[in-house]
Amino acid sequence: MDNMNLIPPSLYPEVFLLLSICAILLVDMFLGDDKRNITYALSLLSLGVCGVLTMNATSGTSVYLSNNMFVSDAMSNLLKMFSYIAVGVTFIYGRQYATDRGMTTGMLGGEFYTLALFSLLGQMIMISGNNLLIIYLGLELMSLALYALVALRRDHTVSTEAAMKYFVLGALASGFLLYGISMLYGATGTLNLNEMSKIAASATANKTILVFGIVFLVAGLAFKLGVVPFHMWVPDVYQGSPTVVTLLLGGAPKLAAFAITFRLLVEGLFPQVLDWQQMLMVLAVMSMAIGNITAIAQTNLKRMLAYSTISQMGFMLLGFLSGVSNGNVTLAGEAYSASMFYAITYVMTTLGTFGIILLLSRAGFEAENIADLKGLNKRSKWFAFIMLLLMFSLAGIPPLMGFYAKLSVLSSVVAAGQIWLAVAAVLFSLIGAFYYLRIVKVMYFEEPTETTPIVAHMDLKIVLSVNGLAVLALGIMPGSLLQSCIDAIKSTLAS
């Protein structure tokens, strides 16, 4: 009992998840292929318990632990909750898909679930990291698990190639990030983000080395977000990975990427805000331009969604570069919370979109081309309607969640006085609407090439329906979630 008291309640979710992964690995060793559902159930149970522990750890104030290396605050708790939901929903959507492709049978056993949970543990560490090295360790834990997941189908040439590209370019990005961290440490003499912010504001920091460090840091963050010009891995890895792994890449990790961008740039380097805002502006505009324009030419659905992700992450960055305008920092809370709301919206919509792809896939057939959605309305009116909601949300059409997310970010950009940037974002969104609406046209106005009935587990159908309706409901009534984001960001900034 005394030993348990050594672990603060704010660390319970991470400690419990680590112990759960070890337990699941041990249990899975003694399970046959016909009992793999036990591993699946234990994984979902672990996520549920982590959610309860995180809610109990929420005190409304920021708690610093382990010599200020780890922080539990309102922002981290909210992002962790959505990360649990994203991974849990991915497990539900991908269970049949993974089984049909031998990813949870034979030699591989339950490694799909444990690797996914390891990547989640890395994301939790990233979200709560208050020290440069802790954030880096969380990032590497997440990345190594994802590299292995992409290559899980070792007999599949395309997946192996995607894993190699992801690993090599990921190692390069880690190098950028680590080099930036070393320069920041050289300039400030600390790895703690709170102390770094104080030193960066004083005259003692070496400003030249600090700016060079920020350049390398932003480059590393840009890779993890998948924004231009560090986007080259996204289309190939999205297309080459098994679809359920693509969802693991495109879901919860984006929340963790938002968190470390906020921790490093806003909490650690806020005195240099004018330097990094200019860098993010270039990344955002280039991402929206190249992502939306290139997506139009795609015929592969996963590749199109990859370019969509690039443009969506560019849009999310608009909130970060609107936090300070002409020395006015009063807009910071609303701007950064708009970006957070946008990241959550993107993840929820992406979950549903890939859920439809996984629903349509079956043993021996990958539903990954736009043509595979032809006539979906005639095969299933309900799931065609769910896909329509998700595409409209990604396009930013009211009254869906994506519209309100875009409106929140654009309001922050306009409030910061950057009218031209808001106009550019709207124009690129209009271009993006073309390829989202093309999906709707294919589903409703073309004859189906596939006539087999859609067969799936009831849990998948129920969760997918709830996912789609949640995107609609949160578009009509976004107030509670948006207010939660505003409160979380303001509480974190005030600590």
Side-chain angles (χ1 to χ4, degrees):
M1 196 69 181
D2 291 338
N3 289 335
M4 278 302 292
N5 291 336
L6 294 175
I7 304 172
S10 299
L11 274 173
Y12 284 174
E14 285 77 10
V15 173
F16 175 79
L17 185 58
L18 178 60
L19 294 175
S20 295
I21 294 168
C22 297
I24 291 168
L25 274 171
L26 282 171
V27 170
D28 189 72
M29 286 173 60
F30 301 100
L31 297 177
D33 290 346
D34 58 331
K35 295 181 180 177
R36 199 66 66 201
N37 282 343
I38 295 174
T39 308
Y40 164 77
L42 288 173
S43 301
L44 287 180
L45 180 63
S46 299
L47 293 172
V49 175
C50 283
V52 172
L53 291 172
T54 301
M55 282 194 288
N56 290 339
T58 305
S59 60
T61 56
S62 298
V63 180
Y64 291 90
L65 307 163
S66 306
N67 286 332
N68 291 338
M69 290 193 289
F70 187 95
V71 60
S72 174
D73 53 24
M75 185 192 83
S76 66
N77 292 330
L78 185 60
L79 288 175
K80 283 177 189 175
M81 292 300 292
F82 277 100
S83 296
Y84 306 148
I85 292 169
V87 174
V89 168
T90 302
F91 285 166
I92 293 168
Y93 288 169
R95 174 167 57 134
Q96 190 60 51
Y97 178 95
T99 304
D100 289 343
R101 282 146 190 81
M103 293 167 63
T104 57
T105 55
M107 251 176 70
L108 293 176
E111 288 176 18
F112 166 73
Y113 297 111
T114 51
L115 283 170
L117 292 175
F118 266 125
S119 78
L120 175 63
L121 180 59
Q123 291 156 34
M124 292 164 71
I125 294 168
M126 289 163 68
I127 289 169
S128 285
N130 193 50
N131 180 287
L132 292 174
L133 285 185
I134 293 296
I135 289 174
Y136 181 76
L137 289 172
L139 180 68
E140 286 306 293
L141 176 57
M142 178 191 80
S143 299
L144 289 169
L146 291 176
Y147 298 152
L149 280 166
V150 174
L152 204 58
R153 294 178 69 188
R154 287 179 292 181
D155 57 339
H156 197 252
T157 312
V158 180
S159 293
T160 311
E161 181 190 345
M164 282 298 295
K165 287 177 181 174
Y166 189 29
F167 176 71
V168 171
L169 292 171
L172 183 67
S174 292
F176 276 133
L177 202 61
L178 204 54
Y179 192 56
I181 287 171
S182 67
M183 294 186 88
L184 292 177
Y185 179 68
T188 61
T190 182
L191 293 169
N192 182 277
L193 295 179
N194 296 340
E195 291 174 17
M196 181 176 291
S197 182
K198 293 173 185 173
I199 295 169
S202 68
T204 56
N206 187 317
K207 302 298 182 187
T208 307
I209 297 177
L210 199 59
V211 171
F212 272 108
I214 292 170
V215 170
F216 282 102
L217 199 69
V218 169
L221 291 173
F223 178 90
K224 293 303 171 188
L225 287 167
V227 294
V228 178
F230 303 96
H231 67 294
M232 63 287 287
W233 65 275
V234 182
D236 290 340
V237 174
Y238 269 47
Q239 184 181 357
S241 304
T243 306
V244 66
V245 177
T246 306
L247 183 50
L248 282 171
L249 285 167
K254 299 304 180 191
L255 298 176
F258 165 84
I260 61 169
T261 304
F262 182 86
R263 297 279 186 215
L264 294 172
L265 298 184
V266 178
E267 290 197 328
L269 294 163
F270 196 72
Q272 269 58 50
V273 64
L274 297 179
D275 293 322
W276 55 257
Q277 274 192 175
Q278 300 302 316
M279 300 177 204
L280 295 186
M281 187 181 295
V282 175
L283 297 178
V285 173
M286 287 170 60
S287 298
M288 289 188 293
I290 292 174
N292 283 315
I293 293 168
T294 314
I296 292 172
Q298 307 306 315
T299 56
N300 183 283
L301 185 54
K302 285 161 70 175
R303 202 170 182 85
M304 186 205 85
L305 289 170
Y307 283 107
S308 161
T309 297
I310 293 165
S311 68
Q312 300 281 356
M313 289 298 103
F315 210 102
M316 187 197 77
L317 288 179
L318 293 178
F320 277 105
L321 57 90
S322 307
V324 177
S325 176
N326 299 323
N328 181 7
V329 297
T330 56
L331 305 170
E334 282 76 13
Y336 301 142
S337 58
S339 275
M340 183 175 170
F341 182 69
Y342 197 93
I344 292 170
T345 300
Y346 162 79
V347 170
M348 285 186 64
T349 316
T350 298
L351 286 170
T353 307
F354 278 97
I356 294 287
I357 298 173
L358 290 164
L359 176 75
L360 298 177
S361 299
R362 59 182 186 280
F365 175 72
E366 296 281 345
E368 58 176 31
N369 292 312
I370 294 174
D372 295 328
L373 293 172
K374 281 184 178 179
L376 179 60
N377 183 51
K378 293 181 179 175
R379 295 176 66 197
S380 172
K381 291 186 185 301
W382 175 247
F383 288 112
F385 173 68
I386 294 294
M387 189 64 163
L388 177 143
L389 290 178
L390 297 165
M391 289 298 104
F392 279 10
S393 180
L394 285 170
I397 295 173
L400 292 149
M401 194 178 180
F403 166 75
Y404 208 87
K406 286 187 190 297
L407 182 64
S408 302
V409 172
L410 289 173
S411 299
S412 298
V413 175
V414 171
Q418 309 209 44
I419 307 297
W420 72 271
L421 199 54
V423 172
V426 170
L427 290 175
F428 288 129
S429 292
L430 285 173
I431 294 170
F434 170 81
Y435 57 85
Y436 295 126
L437 296 179
R438 181 175 62 179
I439 300 290
V440 177
K441 175 246 181 190
V442 165
M443 290 191 303
Y444 280 87
F445 301 109
E446 294 194 17
E447 289 300 314
T449 53
E450 191 70 40
T451 54
T452 53
I454 297 173
V455 180
H457 289 290
M458 188 54 67
D459 56 352
L460 191 161
K461 291 183 176 180
I462 292 170
V463 174
L464 187 52
S465 300
V466 171
N467 192 169
L469 293 175
V471 169
L472 176 61
L474 286 167
I476 297 169
M477 298 177 290
S480 57
L481 180 56
L482 184 58
Q483 191 58 48
S484 296
C485 292
I486 292 171
D487 293 343
I489 291 293
K490 287 188 173 179
S491 168
T492 302
L493 287 173
S495 63

